[in-house]
Amino acid sequence: MHYLIKKLLPSVAVALTVTSLSLSAPARAQTYPIDCAILLCLSGGWPASVPCARARAEFIRRITPWPVEPPLQIWRCPMGASYESDRPSNNAGRVVEALYRPGSRRPLQSLPVDDVVPTDKALRLVQDRADIDISGPEFNFVRSIHVFDVRYARQRESGRDGDCKRSATVVLGTYGTQGDFSWQRSSITALPEAHVGLERWGQNCPGIYHRSVFVDWRDHEGNYGFEQVNY
């Protein structure tokens, strides 16, 4: 499966490029779901291409305040029909096939809810999560995404007693098993080493006022990447 994704990723990028270049009106240049491009380009380590450049720009735009959004909104990328049996099989092998079919320039669409449901299947509506089973290790790159929103971090020396006053609000956004996104409280000490701006936090008492959003991830092969937006 790893080899299949690595082999077909350039083909998907080419297909998306052809789609965008085939339209003359600038407003219609993007006819594919941007989150499908983010999903594939992130998986492949953001390969050099026009679609991946646009996908990465949108990925970063979403964490640029305000508001801070999930950088990958996988529920906006239709990967397949939302039909699952009582014991769902691992559908990870469908990730490329769901997004790219030879001879087609558009990602496959989910089946509408009013289609005929097979008698041996149950239609399970999905919301704010992937519409196929992505619980397998092939999709660990989705769950590797972490968004640290340092809403503020202040360190200063008190004028009256000389004590060092520190206060901070940090929240962490993570992805669940099926790509669902949620926020939780975090702390300065949880920030990755790649984050810059708070290196002197807790060292003596230099004056610090810092706000930033930091996102990091690992691609399909485990390569580390990150971006930071200060504000």
Side-chain angles (χ1 to χ4, degrees), residues 88-218:
S89 60
N90 186 353
N91 291 315
R94 297 173 55 199
V95 63
V96 173
E97 292 85 348
L99 295 173
Y100 177 70
R101 174 187 293 169
S104 174
R105 292 180 178 177
R106 293 178 179 270
L108 301 183
Q109 300 295 312
S110 299
L111 291 178
V113 296
D114 56 353
D115 276 12
V116 176
V117 181
T119 56
D120 60 341
K121 302 287 185 178
L123 177 61
R124 299 180 182 177
L125 299 180
V126 293
Q127 184 176 5
D128 294 343
R129 48 153 286 185
D131 66 350
I132 66 169
D133 179 13
I134 65 165
S135 61
E138 294 84 356
F139 288 92
N140 282 344
F141 68 92
V142 173
R143 292 176 287 273
S144 77
I145 303 171
H146 297 91
V147 183
F148 288 88
D149 184 1
V150 185
R151 295 181 177 174
Y152 80 92
R154 175 177 292 173
Q155 176 178 274
R156 60 187 176 87
E157 186 174 296
S158 173
R160 291 183 298 175
D161 51 22
D163 291 340
C164 191
K165 303 295 184 181
R166 299 185 182 94
S167 59
T169 297
V170 182
V171 293
L172 170 62
T174 57
Y175 288 85
T177 304
Q178 299 298 343
D180 46 303
F181 187 85
S182 62
W183 293 101
Q184 61 188 15
R185 297 280 297 189
S186 188
S187 65
I188 298 294
T189 58
L191 291 171
E193 292 183 4
H195 182 277
V196 296
L198 291 170
E199 295 80 6
R200 297 186 299 164
W201 184 267
Q203 299 179 9
N204 298 321
C205 198
I208 296 175
Y209 185 77
H210 178 86
R211 302 176 75 185
S212 65
V213 181
F214 181 94
V215 58
D216 66 358
W217 64 86
R218 292 191 179 275

